[in-house]
């Protein structure tokens, strides 16, 4: 977790989608450690409650509000906005983190899977931007941070829907950054490589099953794609989200920052 204090994040209202586990959980904890108020959302109330509990135990000032929302349903995103605004005010930092990454070959992929991936990763991100941006614009300050992936810039086999969705998220990031440039709102993407979360481990297990190799062997392959020969810790992604929300990043918008141990250099 970040050791640097970012004074201006104290009291800021942050919303993290997919905040109940993995990278989203780490992002929620990192902002809470800065004294921000954090709304954690996702579909599973129990995991959201667990993270809120962890946050409240960080210290007396750490505030967390766990609210369920399926980001593929615009009405749920709109009612989330109404609820948050009523209880805490307008969201100032939106972290679009919720995402799915099922692995399957293009020809075997069911049409419904394609639609689901685009709906969560792209349309869900779009809905959240559409619903939460006006509150930021109204106050003349805001941050949108989209958790994309290195596959927003390059392609890997057997994740065509995921790759397509993340390329599109990067396109949306850049287009929005331009439209928001004079409003005080910045829009950036973080592009992690393989991160040590359930999402990665599920794909490692699946690949092990399909190839008949051991899980440890596949994990070694995943690590080996990074010049640093390791998985990224979720906290490393969280630290970059905090940095992008700081005053130091006022001039950064439309950027896509890789956190991948040097695997992708574009
Ligand atoms: N792990 C990696 O190697 C890696 C690398 C690059 C980028 N990323 C990106 O980082 C983000 C987080 O990944 P992760 O590894 O932390 O994955 P994870 O552990 O599987 O967590 C995904 C989160 O998304 C939420 N979610 C999924 N569908 C949702 C929906 N329809 N509405 C609301 N929330 C939803 C899940 O919560 P519920 O199931 O409770 O709804 C969960 O909290 C994703 O966008 C992923 O593409 C991950």
């Amino acid at each position: 977790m970040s050791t640097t204090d970012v004074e201006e994040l104290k009291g800021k209202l942050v919303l993290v989608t997919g905040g109940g586990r993995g990278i989203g959980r780490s992002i929620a904890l990192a902002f809470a450690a800065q004294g921000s108020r954090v709304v954690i959302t996702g579909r599973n109330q129990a995991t959201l409650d667990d993270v809120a509990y962890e946050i409240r135990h960080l210290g007396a000032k750490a505030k967390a509000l766990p609210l369920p929302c399926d980001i593929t349903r615009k009405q749920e995103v709109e009612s989330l906005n109404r609820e948050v605004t009523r209880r805490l005010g307008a969201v100032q930092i939106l972290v679009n983190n919720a995402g799915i990454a099922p692995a399957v070959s293009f020809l075997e992929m069911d049409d419904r899977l394609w639609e689901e991936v685009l709906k969560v990763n792209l349309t869900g991100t779009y809905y959240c931007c559409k619903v939460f941006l006006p509150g930021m614009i109204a106050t003349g300050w805001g941050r949108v941070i989209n958790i994309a992936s290195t596959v927003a810039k390059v392609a890997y086999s057997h994740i065509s829907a995921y790759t397509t969705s993340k390329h599109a998220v990067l396109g949306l990031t850049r287009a929005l950054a331009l439209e928001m440039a004079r409003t005080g709102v910045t829009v950036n993407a973080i592009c992690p490589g393989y991160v040590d979360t359930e999402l990665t481990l599920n794909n490692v297990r699946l690949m092990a099953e399909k190839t008949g190799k051991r899980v440890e062997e596949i994990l070694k392959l995943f690590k080996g794609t990074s010049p640093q020969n390791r998985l990224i810790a979720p906290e490393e992604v969280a630290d970059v989200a905090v940095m992008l929300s700081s005053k130091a990043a006022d001039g950064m918008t439309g950027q896509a920052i890789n956190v991948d141990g040097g695997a992708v250099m574009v």
Side-chain angles (χ1 to χ4, degrees), residues 74-164:
K74 192 171 186 197
Q75 279 164 336
E76 288 193 26
V77 179
E78 286 169 335
S79 74
L80 174 71
N81 183 34
R82 280 193 296 274
E83 179 77 359
V84 173
T85 307
R86 185 178 67 76
R87 292 169 71 166
L88 301 169
V91 167
Q92 294 165 293
I93 299 171
L94 166 66
V95 185
N96 285 309
N97 163 78
I100 54 172
V104 61
S105 77
F106 180 76
L107 291 178
E108 281 172 17
M109 178 173 51
D110 194 283
D111 290 349
R112 274 171 306 184
L113 189 86
W114 169 267
E115 279 155 20
E116 178 69 9
V117 171
L118 288 172
K119 197 137 201 221
V120 178
N121 298 358
L122 178 60
T123 308
T125 298
Y126 159 77
Y127 287 153
C128 290
C129 291
K130 202 77 185 273
V131 166
F132 291 104
L133 268 171
M136 297 183 200
I137 297 167
T139 62
W141 190 92
R143 296 284 195 255
V144 176
I145 299 168
N146 295 327
I147 308 302
S149 165
T150 47
V151 306
K153 298 178 175 181
V154 295
Y156 292 111
S157 182
H158 286 72
I159 44 167
S160 54
Y162 184 63
T163 304
T164 304

Side-chain angles (χ1 to χ4, degrees), residues 2 9 27 30-31 95 143 145 147 188-192 232-246 249 252 256-260:
S2 178
L9 290 182
I27 292 174
F31 276 104
V95 185
R143 296 284 195 255
I145 299 168
I147 308 302
N188 289 292
I190 302 177
C191 299
I232 296 296
E235 291 79 6
E236 294 178 273
V237 181
D239 282 350
V240 177
V242 167
M243 182 277 287
L244 283 172
S245 305
S246 70
M252 291 176 69
I257 301 167
N258 301 350
V259 185
D260 66 347

Side-chain angles (χ1 to χ4, degrees), residues 6-21:
V6 184
E7 198 53 37
E8 62 272 20
L9 290 182
K10 282 200 171 71
K12 281 268 181 337
L13 184 56
V14 185
L15 184 130
V16 185
T17 69
R21 62 171 193 261

Side-chain angles (χ1 to χ4, degrees), residues 17-24 41-45 47-48 69-72 96-101 116 120-121 147-150 162 166 190-200 202:
T17 69
R21 62 171 193 261
I23 296 171
T41 189
R43 293 164 304 175
N44 183 329
Q45 182 76 55
T47 60
L48 301 175
C69 173
D70 181 338
I71 58 159
T72 65
N96 285 309
N97 163 78
I100 54 172
E116 178 69 9
V120 178
N121 298 358
I147 308 302
S149 165
T150 47
Y162 184 63
K166 293 297 184 175
I190 302 177
C191 299
Y194 289 119
V195 182
D196 192 0
T197 69
E198 270 309 302
L199 183 147
T200 299
N202 283 339

